[in-house]
Amino acid sequence: IITDTDVTRRVVAKQLAASSTIVSSVMTANPTCVSMSDSAMDALVTMVENRFRHLPVTDDSGAIVGVLDIAKCLNDAITKLERTQEKNASSTDDTLKQMASLQGAGGQAAALQALLAPLLAQALGGKSSPTLRSVLAGKPSTIVSPRTTLQETGAMMADARKAALVVEDNVLVGIFGFKDMMTRAIAKELPLELTPVSTVMTPNPESVSPETTVLEALQIMHDNKFLTLPVCESNGSVIGIVDVMDCVYASGGAEGWRSIFSSAMECDDVTET
């Protein structure tokens, strides 16, 4: 299997020529796979436990029939839980009042907190959802200037396994991820050593406060289909960047999310019946 992250880590950072590098020399050989007949729960937990973002799915004969994407699985699970809660909320006045009180600024994040907190309480040992400041403590930053070349940017991204944050005069002006490297640079055959990151970055990305909780960050990612979130102080100074897997591990890891996946699958059963 080969992913956009692999392209940055094993092609760009190694300064290989993408046009003449064969896939087999940079792919992950013999990747873990799951069968169509395997438990969906086991497949999802395997992805979380091993930090797999993608997991190939085979049929009974061993032929590849698809690929599971962890971000899509998380989004789907949260969406199913939200829809079930909304449906159940219509059954009692008390629940309606509770949901109404969660509307307005920060309402969706509060709703997700109310929805997921009971499921994660055991995994977190009764503690509240950690903030992004605590999640980022001690983590390497991937800050580059608008003039940094794609070659240099890719090397930094490969080392940290994080998207790059483009900062000018201490202000976040852009973001450049692994998918961007593959689709906007490698696929376009741009000269990496001559192209500044500012020409292919996503400008003016949304950012969040370091006091944002992990569950709030998950809600923002879910609502906007983001895979990453820049984190900045109120004065604009950049703290770092978190991704979906950071949030998963900070909010219970495999065991915490096992209960969420299980609840989401139960929602499917109820819907089908």
Side-chain angles (χ1 to χ4, degrees), residues 233-251:
E233 297 282 12
S234 58
N235 64 3
S237 61
V238 179
I239 301 298
I241 188 170
V242 294
D243 58 29
V244 169
M245 295 305 285
D246 292 328
C247 292
V248 168
Y249 269 83
S251 57

PDB file of all heavy atoms in Angstrom, residues 233-251:
ATOM      1  N   GLU A 233      -2.559  30.810  19.654  1.00  0.00           N
ATOM      2  CA  GLU A 233      -2.929  31.622  20.800  1.00  0.00           C
ATOM      3  C   GLU A 233      -3.829  32.769  20.347  1.00  0.00           C
ATOM      4  O   GLU A 233      -3.946  33.055  19.151  1.00  0.00           O
ATOM      5  CB  GLU A 233      -1.672  32.193  21.469  1.00  0.00           C
ATOM      6  CG  GLU A 233      -0.727  31.152  22.044  1.00  0.00           C
ATOM      7  CD  GLU A 233      -1.198  30.597  23.384  1.00  0.00           C
ATOM      8  OE1 GLU A 233      -2.359  30.851  23.766  1.00  0.00           O
ATOM      9  OE2 GLU A 233      -0.393  29.915  24.050  1.00  0.00           O
ATOM     10  N   SER A 234      -4.446  33.457  21.317  1.00  0.00           N
ATOM     11  CA  SER A 234      -5.340  34.564  20.981  1.00  0.00           C
ATOM     12  C   SER A 234      -4.623  35.711  20.285  1.00  0.00           C
ATOM     13  O   SER A 234      -5.227  36.472  19.529  1.00  0.00           O
ATOM     14  CB  SER A 234      -6.028  35.080  22.247  1.00  0.00           C
ATOM     15  OG  SER A 234      -5.065  35.490  23.210  1.00  0.00           O
ATOM     16  N   ASN A 235      -3.298  35.821  20.515  1.00  0.00           N
ATOM     17  CA  ASN A 235      -2.528  36.885  19.851  1.00  0.00           C
ATOM     18  C   ASN A 235      -2.032  36.474  18.471  1.00  0.00           C
ATOM     19  O   ASN A 235      -1.305  37.219  17.813  1.00  0.00           O
ATOM     20  CB  ASN A 235      -1.350  37.314  20.727  1.00  0.00           C
ATOM     21  CG  ASN A 235      -0.335  36.196  20.941  1.00  0.00           C
ATOM     22  OD1 ASN A 235      -0.460  35.102  20.391  1.00  0.00           O
ATOM     23  ND2 ASN A 235       0.670  36.463  21.769  1.00  0.00           N
ATOM     24  N   GLY A 236      -2.418  35.266  18.041  1.00  0.00           N
ATOM     25  CA  GLY A 236      -2.055  34.797  16.704  1.00  0.00           C
ATOM     26  C   GLY A 236      -0.829  33.916  16.641  1.00  0.00           C
ATOM     27  O   GLY A 236      -0.564  33.299  15.602  1.00  0.00           O
ATOM     28  N   SER A 237      -0.056  33.840  17.721  1.00  0.00           N
ATOM     29  CA  SER A 237       1.151  33.006  17.693  1.00  0.00           C
ATOM     30  C   SER A 237       0.770  31.535  17.561  1.00  0.00           C
ATOM     31  O   SER A 237      -0.196  31.064  18.173  1.00  0.00           O
ATOM     32  CB  SER A 237       1.986  33.224  18.954  1.00  0.00           C
ATOM     33  OG  SER A 237       1.267  32.868  20.106  1.00  0.00           O
ATOM     34  N   VAL A 238       1.544  30.831  16.756  1.00  0.00           N
ATOM     35  CA  VAL A 238       1.213  29.449  16.406  1.00  0.00           C
ATOM     36  C   VAL A 238       1.785  28.473  17.441  1.00  0.00           C
ATOM     37  O   VAL A 238       2.970  28.529  17.776  1.00  0.00           O
ATOM     38  CB  VAL A 238       1.752  29.112  15.003  1.00  0.00           C
ATOM     39  CG1 VAL A 238       1.441  27.659  14.647  1.00  0.00           C
ATOM     40  CG2 VAL A 238       1.148  30.051  13.964  1.00  0.00           C
ATOM     41  N   ILE A 239       0.928  27.578  17.927  1.00  0.00           N
ATOM     42  CA  ILE A 239       1.345  26.566  18.895  1.00  0.00           C
ATOM     43  C   ILE A 239       1.732  25.264  18.196  1.00  0.00           C
ATOM     44  O   ILE A 239       2.724  24.629  18.513  1.00  0.00           O
ATOM     45  CB  ILE A 239       0.212  26.276  19.901  1.00  0.00           C
ATOM     46  CG1 ILE A 239      -0.181  27.542  20.648  1.00  0.00           C
ATOM     47  CG2 ILE A 239       0.642  25.183  20.880  1.00  0.00           C
ATOM     48  CD1 ILE A 239       0.918  28.126  21.479  1.00  0.00           C
ATOM     49  N   GLY A 240       0.928  24.859  17.227  1.00  0.00           N
ATOM     50  CA  GLY A 240       1.197  23.598  16.541  1.00  0.00           C
ATOM     51  C   GLY A 240      -0.014  23.148  15.756  1.00  0.00           C
ATOM     52  O   GLY A 240      -0.900  23.938  15.441  1.00  0.00           O
ATOM     53  N   ILE A 241      -0.081  21.858  15.467  1.00  0.00           N
ATOM     54  CA  ILE A 241      -1.168  21.308  14.670  1.00  0.00           C
ATOM     55  C   ILE A 241      -1.541  19.939  15.207  1.00  0.00           C
ATOM     56  O   ILE A 241      -0.671  19.158  15.610  1.00  0.00           O
ATOM     57  CB  ILE A 241      -0.763  21.230  13.174  1.00  0.00           C
ATOM     58  CG1 ILE A 241      -1.945  20.838  12.306  1.00  0.00           C
ATOM     59  CG2 ILE A 241       0.409  20.280  12.976  1.00  0.00           C
ATOM     60  CD1 ILE A 241      -1.679  20.989  10.815  1.00  0.00           C
ATOM     61  N   VAL A 242      -2.830  19.661  15.250  1.00  0.00           N
ATOM     62  CA  VAL A 242      -3.311  18.340  15.666  1.00  0.00           C
ATOM     63  C   VAL A 242      -4.053  17.700  14.505  1.00  0.00           C
ATOM     64  O   VAL A 242      -4.590  18.385  13.632  1.00  0.00           O
ATOM     65  CB  VAL A 242      -4.248  18.412  16.890  1.00  0.00           C
ATOM     66  CG1 VAL A 242      -3.497  18.895  18.117  1.00  0.00           C
ATOM     67  CG2 VAL A 242      -5.459  19.300  16.616  1.00  0.00           C
ATOM     68  N   ASP A 243      -4.072  16.369  14.496  1.00  0.00           N
ATOM     69  CA  ASP A 243      -4.827  15.661  13.477  1.00  0.00           C
ATOM     70  C   ASP A 243      -5.841  14.732  14.131  1.00  0.00           C
ATOM     71  O   ASP A 243      -5.937  14.657  15.365  1.00  0.00           O
ATOM     72  CB  ASP A 243      -3.895  14.904  12.519  1.00  0.00           C
ATOM     73  CG  ASP A 243      -3.002  13.891  13.230  1.00  0.00           C
ATOM     74  OD1 ASP A 243      -3.418  13.365  14.285  1.00  0.00           O
ATOM     75  OD2 ASP A 243      -1.900  13.616  12.721  1.00  0.00           O
ATOM     76  N   VAL A 244      -6.597  14.043  13.309  1.00  0.00           N
ATOM     77  CA  VAL A 244      -7.656  13.180  13.813  1.00  0.00           C
ATOM     78  C   VAL A 244      -7.119  12.147  14.798  1.00  0.00           C
ATOM     79  O   VAL A 244      -7.701  11.916  15.858  1.00  0.00           O
ATOM     80  CB  VAL A 244      -8.373  12.470  12.638  1.00  0.00           C
ATOM     81  CG1 VAL A 244      -9.289  11.373  13.152  1.00  0.00           C
ATOM     82  CG2 VAL A 244      -9.167  13.474  11.820  1.00  0.00           C
ATOM     83  N   MET A 245      -5.988  11.513  14.469  1.00  0.00           N
ATOM     84  CA  MET A 245      -5.461  10.464  15.327  1.00  0.00           C
ATOM     85  C   MET A 245      -4.973  11.007  16.666  1.00  0.00           C
ATOM     86  O   MET A 245      -5.071  10.336  17.693  1.00  0.00           O
ATOM     87  CB  MET A 245      -4.330   9.715  14.606  1.00  0.00           C
ATOM     88  CG  MET A 245      -4.791   8.955  13.378  1.00  0.00           C
ATOM     89  SD  MET A 245      -6.145   7.796  13.699  1.00  0.00           S
ATOM     90  CE  MET A 245      -5.284   6.474  14.538  1.00  0.00           C
ATOM     91  N   ASP A 246      -4.441  12.235  16.689  1.00  0.00           N
ATOM     92  CA  ASP A 246      -4.070  12.860  17.958  1.00  0.00           C
ATOM     93  C   ASP A 246      -5.278  12.934  18.878  1.00  0.00           C
ATOM     94  O   ASP A 246      -5.197  12.635  20.076  1.00  0.00           O
ATOM     95  CB  ASP A 246      -3.538  14.289  17.730  1.00  0.00           C
ATOM     96  CG  ASP A 246      -2.202  14.328  17.013  1.00  0.00           C
ATOM     97  OD1 ASP A 246      -1.397  13.399  17.206  1.00  0.00           O
ATOM     98  OD2 ASP A 246      -1.966  15.280  16.252  1.00  0.00           O
ATOM     99  N   CYS A 247      -6.403  13.350  18.301  1.00  0.00           N
ATOM    100  CA  CYS A 247      -7.628  13.514  19.088  1.00  0.00           C
ATOM    101  C   CYS A 247      -8.177  12.169  19.548  1.00  0.00           C
ATOM    102  O   CYS A 247      -8.683  12.040  20.666  1.00  0.00           O
ATOM    103  CB  CYS A 247      -8.676  14.270  18.282  1.00  0.00           C
ATOM    104  SG  CYS A 247      -8.240  16.002  17.975  1.00  0.00           S
ATOM    105  N   VAL A 248      -8.080  11.164  18.684  1.00  0.00           N
ATOM    106  CA  VAL A 248      -8.549   9.831  19.055  1.00  0.00           C
ATOM    107  C   VAL A 248      -7.753   9.297  20.243  1.00  0.00           C
ATOM    108  O   VAL A 248      -8.325   8.791  21.224  1.00  0.00           O
ATOM    109  CB  VAL A 248      -8.427   8.865  17.859  1.00  0.00           C
ATOM    110  CG1 VAL A 248      -8.618   7.426  18.305  1.00  0.00           C
ATOM    111  CG2 VAL A 248      -9.443   9.228  16.786  1.00  0.00           C
ATOM    112  N   TYR A 249      -6.437   9.426  20.177  1.00  0.00           N
ATOM    113  CA  TYR A 249      -5.598   8.909  21.257  1.00  0.00           C
ATOM    114  C   TYR A 249      -5.758   9.701  22.548  1.00  0.00           C
ATOM    115  O   TYR A 249      -5.622   9.151  23.642  1.00  0.00           O
ATOM    116  CB  TYR A 249      -4.126   8.883  20.820  1.00  0.00           C
ATOM    117  CG  TYR A 249      -3.760   7.566  20.192  1.00  0.00           C
ATOM    118  CD1 TYR A 249      -4.033   7.330  18.850  1.00  0.00           C
ATOM    119  CD2 TYR A 249      -3.196   6.544  20.937  1.00  0.00           C
ATOM    120  CE1 TYR A 249      -3.757   6.110  18.263  1.00  0.00           C
ATOM    121  CE2 TYR A 249      -2.910   5.321  20.363  1.00  0.00           C
ATOM    122  CZ  TYR A 249      -3.187   5.100  19.033  1.00  0.00           C
ATOM    123  OH  TYR A 249      -2.920   3.885  18.464  1.00  0.00           O
ATOM    124  N   ALA A 250      -6.056  10.986  22.436  1.00  0.00           N
ATOM    125  CA  ALA A 250      -6.218  11.822  23.626  1.00  0.00           C
ATOM    126  C   ALA A 250      -7.600  11.671  24.244  1.00  0.00           C
ATOM    127  O   ALA A 250      -7.844  12.181  25.340  1.00  0.00           O
ATOM    128  CB  ALA A 250      -5.963  13.281  23.278  1.00  0.00           C
ATOM    129  N   SER A 251      -8.494  10.982  23.563  1.00  0.00           N
ATOM    130  CA  SER A 251      -9.852  10.832  24.086  1.00  0.00           C
ATOM    131  C   SER A 251     -10.232   9.368  24.248  1.00  0.00           C
ATOM    132  O   SER A 251     -11.323   8.933  23.903  1.00  0.00           O
ATOM    133  CB  SER A 251     -10.866  11.535  23.168  1.00  0.00           C
ATOM    134  OG  SER A 251     -10.792  11.040  21.849  1.00  0.00           O
TER     135      SER A 251
END
